[in-house]
Amino acid sequence: MIRPLGDKILVKPLEAKEVVKGGIIIPDTAKEKPQEGEVIAAGKGKTTEDGKVIALDVKKGDKVLFGKYSGTEVKIDNVQYLIMSQDDILGIIE
């Protein structure tokens, strides 16, 4: 597994739900990129210029919302993940 550094977070995108409109099934290739995910791992936090570490607001297991094109895609053991900064996280789903 990957251990993110600093304020980086490893997120597993949740599958997009199949959308049916007017009886037409939208194929997987036409679905929008998932915007929800689960935090798999998180770094220790952001280091300020004076050396203090600001802890992250998210933790392993949190369900989060993120921007449509956020993060960098990585594949580990044939599973797609995103590595992103905490700044790319829009909110935590409670």
Side-chain angles (χ1 to χ4, degrees):
M1 189 53 66
I2 293 177
R3 182 176 56 92
L5 300 176
D7 70 336
K8 301 296 187 242
I9 300 164
L10 182 67
V11 175
K12 181 178 181 185
L14 299 176
E15 293 297 320
K17 295 174 179 68
E18 186 174 276
V19 179
V20 179
K21 292 184 180 181
I24 298 172
I25 297 175
I26 299 173
D28 290 341
T29 55
K31 291 180 186 174
E32 289 187 3
K33 184 176 179 180
Q35 293 181 337
E36 293 181 17
E38 179 180 354
V39 176
I40 303 300
K44 295 185 182 207
K46 189 170 192 168
T47 305
T48 62
E49 289 181 13
D50 59 355
K52 294 181 182 177
V53 176
I54 301 171
L56 298 177
D57 294 326
V58 298
K59 63 187 179 311
K60 183 178 177 179
D62 283 349
K63 301 268 191 281
V64 294
L65 290 173
F66 53 88
K68 187 173 182 178
Y69 299 105
S70 298
T72 301
E73 293 183 356
V74 294
K75 197 173 202 177
I76 304 168
D77 297 328
N78 290 326
V79 179
Q80 242 4 79
Y81 295 97
L82 292 168
I83 295 180
M84 63 183 67
S85 171
Q86 177 173 271
D87 293 341
D88 294 331
I89 301 291
L90 303 173
I92 300 171
I93 301 170
E94 296 180 342

